[in-house]
Amino acid sequence: DGYFHHMMRQCRYSSKDLQGIELITSYVFNKVEDIRFNSTVGKYVGYTEHGVKNAEAWNSDAGILAQELGELERVCKPNAAIAYS
């Protein structure tokens, strides 16, 4: 009984070139993915009614989008060498 909320960030490395790095941030509520940010798309996408509303709000805030893209620079790119070793 109760609620389950989970947020997961993934760095996907498709090539050794740093331009090929993709950041995926997923927000899950009760085992259903509500919202996903994809750095390649550059915005949040909602998959449920609640997720669509939040994605619209978050996409309209340049600060939130900049923060997500900052995670790509802060987390994914510095760890690329580890992923390829």
Side-chain angles (χ1 to χ4, degrees), residues 3-72:
Y3 298 99
F4 173 80
H5 180 262
H6 176 76
M7 188 270 288
M8 179 176 65
R9 282 200 171 102
Q10 303 175 53
C11 298
R12 294 184 181 175
Y13 303 95
S14 58
S15 69
K16 291 188 178 184
D17 179 11
L18 291 180
Q19 299 303 319
I21 299 173
E22 180 179 48
L23 171 71
I24 307 290
T25 305
S26 298
Y27 295 85
V28 178
F29 183 71
N30 283 349
K31 300 181 184 179
V32 175
E33 185 176 23
D34 278 333
I35 305 168
R36 176 182 292 177
F37 176 84
N38 182 319
S39 63
T40 303
V41 177
K43 66 178 186 175
Y44 290 93
V45 176
Y47 297 106
T48 64
E49 183 179 346
H50 176 69
V52 169
K53 288 179 184 178
N54 281 328
E56 289 173 359
W58 296 352
N59 287 330
S60 67
D61 186 332
I64 292 175
L65 291 174
Q67 183 177 347
E68 279 291 351
L69 291 172
E71 291 298 306
L72 176 70

